[in-house]
Amino acid sequence: MEVRVRYAPSPTGLQHIGGVRTALYNYFFARANQGKFILRVEDTDRTRYTDEALQDLYDTLDWLGIDYDEGPRVGGPFGPYVQSERFELYKKYAEQLVKDGKAYYCYCTEERLESLRSAQTEAKSEEQGYDRHCRNLTSEQIEANEKAGIPHVIRLKVPMEGKTTFHDVLMGDITRKNSDVSPDPVLLKSDGFPTYHLANVIDDHLMGVTHIMRAQEWIPSGPLHILLYQAFGWEPPMYCHLPMVMGKDGKKLSKRHGSTSVRDFREQGYLPEALLNYVSLVGWSFDGQREFFSKEELSQVFTLEKINKAPGVFDYKKLDWFNGHYIRLKTDEELARLLVPFMEKAGLLDQAPDKLEAALRVAPLVKERLRLLGDIGPMVSFLFKDPGEPSLESLLPKGQDAQSTYLALSKAYPVLRQGLESGEPESQIEEKLSNLALELGLKVNGVFMPIRVSITGSTVSPPLFDCIRALGYDKSFERIQRSIKVLEENK
Ligand code: GLU
Ligand code: ZN
């Protein structure tokens, strides 16, 4: 049997970490089993649908490099793969259920249902939901309603006795009394639109889906879906509901924890391979040890058995660490290409005649330290814009006054300058500067920090000598002299 799995998002918002993890697991499972991965757009809820969300879905999958064998934009033998293009089909199947006595027309008005709801709430009644009012209408009553042009929905006849069980690969058997399944849910609305349950089950069947991997929040729908398969006389697929993604505090991952949409991560400068790798490990592991996996590797080693039963914890710091790892795997040229848009956004390339060349200059400088591509601005802006005359406070290392800092910098300057101009090895200049600190009774930082601030305008920067070389000696010396003047005037 060929494995066929699908990712079936509803384009109502931006793709988030949880959704993308579902997509990845389906994708890897298909690849690992030489099966097919299908993308299906579940856009039946037209009130919540947005074009932006649909575009974001495509952009996200493209960015991650998740290609699908069948779906919108690529087609396939069971299309269309967008539910709003399949409405006629759902109607046909719903009518078939009515003919077979498994579903029925309900003519109840919104007012009637509303007053039913409030009566149930008021009476704190055990009976919740629809009261099956139209379940046993006679054919005369139905005919009369139709003649009068009263609109109807189609509801499923949920058996009132017995139990329904579905098997979940991770959770085992899940059984519900049929009397606990929501009474006779709507399958087709009066405007002919299907509800999620109907469209989802019909499509999974018609598209030959063999395994359903989706978020655990869909478990409550499981029994109802099984009842639908039974009503149609179809074989249900295998289920594997995926544990939640949580923040470190044990609560469902949400905006309170940080970014959750892939677009956000992308804009901050996470690499697709880092996000893909890390997200895959939130709820799945290979052997509890190995952490780095490429998309191709995961496409070989992924198995359902290794999905954790416990919720996965999304650790933002860990993701940063993965991102740094993948940045360091880039060649300078690759990194430079990735940096260009981020440097542009930081306004660093407005004057650059050749943007790539400018990025190539900084790539080797930052590669070892960069965490996110978006951090590039403050790290290298000193190369593109003069940070301006430093303030006195910014020049003073902790616990050091203007007088001692003035001494340190004015003595360090000739050592640095002569060293560099005569081509002394950097390690030797560094040693001389350290000795100077010792002589002056200062910490090493007491000498290096004012130099760094003078040149870069910041206490954190790429390695000092790399900065000096990248900026050029003349500009570097000018900036140091300027700082010496500030200190002199304030000592
Ligand atoms: N459209 C549903 C969702 O958003 C699909 C659930 C399923 O995979 O069955 O998440
Ligand atoms: Zn009714």
Side-chain angles (χ1 to χ4, degrees), residues 104-109 112-113 130-135 137 153 155:
Y104 60 90
Y105 292 166
C106 161
Y107 297 93
C108 293
T109 59
R112 178 175 185 276
L113 296 174
Y130 183 59
D131 60 358
R132 306 183 180 88
H133 182 259
C134 306
R135 183 159 163 144
L137 295 183
V153 301
R155 290 183 184 272

Side-chain angles (χ1 to χ4, degrees), residues 6 8-10 40 42 196 200 204 212-214 218 225:
R6 78 329 188 250
S10 300
R40 183 172 76 228
E42 299 209 326
Y196 155 73
N200 184 270
D204 281 337
I212 292 184
M213 265 169 272
R214 63 183 172 196
W218 294 103
H225 289 191

Side-chain angles (χ1 to χ4, degrees), residues 420-437:
L420 287 170
E421 283 178 343
S422 65
E424 254 179 70
E426 282 162 10
S427 57
Q428 200 173 310
I429 306 176
E430 226 177 284
E431 206 183 310
K432 284 188 181 167
L433 292 174
S434 301
N435 287 338
L436 173 67

Side-chain angles (χ1 to χ4, degrees), residues 373-391:
L373 300 175
D375 290 347
I376 189 68
M379 250 178 156
V380 300
S381 76
F382 72 95
L383 290 174
F384 300 89
K385 290 187 226 162
D386 185 344
E389 187 179 285
S391 68

Side-chain angles (χ1 to χ4, degrees), residues 86-127:
R86 300 168 65 82
F87 278 175
E88 278 313 306
L89 204 124
Y90 307 128
K91 203 167 164 184
K92 192 183 103 196
Y93 278 95
E95 295 291 354
Q96 188 59 45
L97 284 185
V98 175
K99 278 205 196 85
D100 296 345
K102 310 282 187 188
Y104 60 90
Y105 292 166
C106 161
Y107 297 93
C108 293
T109 59
E110 207 27 69
E111 292 76 52
R112 178 175 185 276
L113 296 174
E114 185 50 54
S115 66
L116 177 66
R117 270 192 291 270
S118 39
Q120 283 171 344
T121 319
E122 212 163 293
K124 296 201 173 69
S125 154
E126 292 249 312
E127 284 287 315

